[in-house]
Amino acid sequence: MACLERASPALKRILLKLYRENKAIEIDHHLYEFGSVEYHIQSSTSDTHYTYLSVSTPLLSQGVILPNGISQYTKQMVKGICPDVVEIMEPAKEGYQITLRLDLSKIPNGKDSIKVIADISAVQAVILSSQLKEMLMNVNSQDTFQGMYKTIKLVYHPREPFFIVRQPQKILAVFPIRFKDKTDVIIATAFFQELMDVGSSEKWAKAPPCCWSPIPPPELRGEPFEDLSTNGGFVSFDISSRHVKGKRLDKTVWSLLNFYAYVKYHVKSTRSFIQRRMRKRLQRLVEVLHKRSMQEEEKEEEEEGNHKVQGCMFMRKMINVSKPKVLKRRYNDLSGKIKRIRSRIKILGFGRFRRRWLKMPKFSSSLGYTKLD
């Protein structure tokens, strides 16, 4: 699979190590990268001048290809990386599409050495893009029949094919979009709609026109159903002859090969951004609730502290009071309670009521009483 970075980081690191050693060392490494890409690096002390690099990569096109999968145009592209350093071995090592013999001693010194090694490390990207470059350079070729569209299916990952439709005066690149998660489909749909709006502006008038549709374009009629079953729609780019002139050809090819990777990168970045904002928002809400609970706890602790202080002050007063005074105070309290118990209950106005209505009558008798001894 094409990556956003052309050069292989692991291959670049090993080649830089061999270049900086300034002497032959024993190396026999197998490097494996995503997309079924394999590198085999060999260096021996018996051969002090050359380092051998074999590359195995999936073929981009499923059409009719050469037995070894490498066209003459691809070989010219690889040879053009650095003719003094790179030499193509014939035949290639068994199990690999191409084998290079590298003379690292001919790499120029200084900053140019890092650039040359980076270009050599990008040999897999050169092989992958060579076929697409060859197709795009033949935009105005006469082998396109009038009224007949020739559709070519290109695959660099089993689940990510795209189509090149050769039309008069232009080429249509169609990308079926598939995602496993429904959330990714929503983010990608919004991204494609925004891409169409930006592409239609005057600022990006020179860029290839972009179109997104939930259904397959008419040019893909007759293609297998499994290739057209998507949940993210179809993205199309119209590539004209001015998009493949000079240095624009390399940029156009690299953009097309990395379109799937760029879309996935954008969707994952957007999803991570949304999740990060949600976590920050949740953290702020938790902080507010935690702050509120802390304030309530502090308030309760202050109230408990006030009660404890009052109790302590009362105890200090009790301790400071002398024992005779305590006994005298207790005696006065007890005597007051006894007086209250023995005293009559006084009702306001009851004396007047008693004198008027409860006055006992006086009886007089004509009979006298004689005191008996």
Side-chain angles (χ1 to χ4, degrees), residues 245-295:
K245 288 183 179 179
K247 295 182 179 180
R248 292 182 181 178
L249 175 62
D250 189 61
K251 294 181 179 180
T252 302
V253 168
W254 193 246
S255 298
L256 293 176
L257 291 176
N258 288 276
F259 182 72
Y260 276 122
Y262 178 74
V263 171
K264 290 184 177 180
Y265 172 78
H266 176 81
V267 170
K268 290 182 179 180
S269 299
T270 304
R271 190 172 184 175
S272 300
F273 174 77
I274 294 173
Q275 293 175 350
R276 185 167 61 252
R277 291 292 299 273
M278 292 175 63
R279 286 194 295 267
K280 287 184 178 180
R281 180 62 178 169
L282 179 61
Q283 185 178 1
R284 291 175 184 173
L285 294 176
V286 171
E287 289 177 355
V288 172
L289 296 176
H290 182 67
K291 185 177 180 180
R292 179 65 180 174
S293 62
M294 289 294 292
Q295 291 178 353

Side-chain angles (χ1 to χ4, degrees), residues 87-156:
E87 181 182 357
I88 299 176
M89 300 296 296
E90 296 289 353
K93 188 178 178 181
E94 185 179 358
Y96 298 88
Q97 274 86 25
I98 192 170
T99 300
L100 307 179
R101 187 169 66 178
L102 308 177
D103 189 356
L104 301 181
S105 61
K106 294 184 179 180
I107 296 178
N109 298 325
K111 296 181 180 179
D112 295 336
S113 61
I114 298 178
K115 183 180 181 302
V116 172
I117 292 177
D119 293 340
I120 297 174
S121 302
V123 61
Q124 187 266 343
V126 174
I127 297 173
L128 186 64
S129 61
S130 61
Q131 291 175 315
L132 185 55
K133 282 184 179 181
E134 196 170 3
M135 295 175 188
L136 295 181
M137 286 190 301
N138 296 328
V139 172
N140 297 325
S141 62
Q142 299 299 325
D143 60 348
T144 302
F145 298 98
Q146 295 182 355
M148 298 295 293
Y149 301 145
K150 184 179 179 181
T151 304
I152 303 174
K153 178 182 175 181
L154 301 178
V155 180
Y156 54 79

Side-chain angles (χ1 to χ4, degrees), residues 8 66 84 89 108 112 117 131 143 148 165 182 184 202 205 227 235 248-249 255 263 274 288 316 323 334 348 357:
S8 170
L66 298 176
D84 297 334
M89 300 296 296
D112 295 336
I117 292 177
Q131 291 175 315
D143 60 348
M148 298 295 293
V165 184
K182 293 182 179 179
D184 295 343
E202 296 181 358
D227 293 337
V235 180
R248 292 182 181 178
L249 175 62
S255 298
V263 171
I274 294 173
V288 172
R316 290 176 182 175
K323 189 172 181 180
L334 181 61
L348 185 62
W357 299 102

